[in-house]
Amino acid sequence: MEAFNSFADFQMDVLKEVGNIGAGHAATALSQLLDKPVDMLVPKVRMVPFEEIADSVGGAEEAVIAIFLRVEGETPGNLFFILKFESAKKLLRNLVGIDAVEGEEYSEMELSALNEIGNILAGSYLSSLADFTQLNMQPTVPSLAIDMAGAILSYGLLQFGQMGDQALLIDTKFLDGSDEVEGHFFLIPDPESFERIFVALGVHTP
């Protein structure tokens, strides 16, 4: 896919900037919500094939927490924010101030906090990409799931009906002093949505 290769080679710096802007917006929103400073970084932005998404978070059998939603508008697609258990607990403890119990059990308060953080992140990143491309992108109400990464992606595929074969991966790091919490943000545009994003970013398909 020539356009995709061109996009990957020459537009990653643009998407990295979109990711940084989104992280800045999300950090501001979270700071206001939590009434404390929140620092976020976007250390890496890359394109990955759909079948490698699970590998990016530790493999298909890695137990994770995912906030996922449908993107509607001019470039429909699917969006996932995925955290490993250790990162989710650390995020709750360090950022939100919830003394989370180690293990796989989560209280309603913990799940609500994670869902709200995922919702803020999704809205911030989508609005940044929409502003940059001048395309209309609207998130649906997010859902939260706790399962193996492969099962969550399969469930999303069944629920949303289709997935593109490429995903935009934006790695995210929450910083609390010297402590870092890693999260992974995946935007998977529907197949026909990629061309619209290419055109908006000045990369035309042949």
Side-chain angles (χ1 to χ4, degrees):
M1 184 176 177
E2 184 177 338
F4 169 72
N5 291 334
S6 173
F7 180 71
D9 289 342
F10 300 114
Q11 303 301 320
M12 283 298 103
D13 55 340
V14 175
L15 290 173
K16 178 73 177 288
E17 185 58 26
V18 170
N20 283 325
I21 293 170
H25 291 168
T28 299
L30 288 172
S31 294
Q32 293 172 347
L33 177 70
L34 302 172
D35 195 26
K36 64 178 290 187
V38 175
D39 292 323
M40 289 177 60
L41 296 177
V42 176
K44 187 183 298 183
V45 175
R46 56 194 170 100
M47 303 296 294
V48 297
F50 179 81
E51 62 270 17
E52 293 181 13
I53 293 177
D55 293 339
S56 301
V57 294
E61 297 185 359
E62 179 77 27
V64 297
I65 291 182
I67 292 91
F68 59 97
L69 53 85
R70 179 75 180 161
V71 179
E72 298 178 340
E74 293 179 274
T75 55
N78 305 294
L79 186 150
F80 293 80
F81 179 65
I82 297 179
L83 289 163
K84 293 183 181 180
F85 277 13
E86 180 184 354
S87 291
K89 295 289 188 179
K90 191 185 295 185
L91 179 63
L92 288 167
R93 184 170 56 250
N94 295 357
L95 188 62
V96 187
I98 297 175
D99 191 13
V101 178
E102 296 299 328
E104 300 184 6
E105 295 299 320
Y106 289 84
S107 69
E108 287 297 320
M109 182 182 294
E110 290 172 338
L111 294 175
S112 177
L114 289 170
N115 199 51
E116 183 60 24
I117 290 170
N119 193 22
I120 289 172
L121 281 171
S124 298
Y125 285 131
L126 279 181
S127 65
S128 297
L129 186 56
D131 288 346
F132 195 87
T133 60
Q134 294 299 297
L135 294 169
N136 179 26
M137 300 179 186
Q138 299 295 330
T140 62
V141 176
S143 300
L144 185 145
I146 302 175
D147 207 331
M148 292 185 296
I152 287 173
L153 291 167
S154 297
Y155 176 76
L157 185 61
L158 288 172
Q159 178 168 346
F160 298 133
Q162 65 176 330
M163 292 271 190
D165 59 1
Q166 301 285 348
L168 171 64
L169 165 60
I170 301 177
D171 287 335
T172 300
K173 285 188 177 180
F174 300 86
L175 303 179
D176 183 39
S178 60
D179 217 356
E180 295 183 349
V181 178
E182 293 185 353
H184 308 278
F185 177 88
F186 296 93
L187 176 62
I188 313 170
D190 291 354
E192 69 274 11
S193 297
F194 254 125
E195 184 172 358
R196 294 172 190 153
I197 294 175
F198 289 149
V199 171
L201 291 173
V203 180
H204 295 265
T205 52

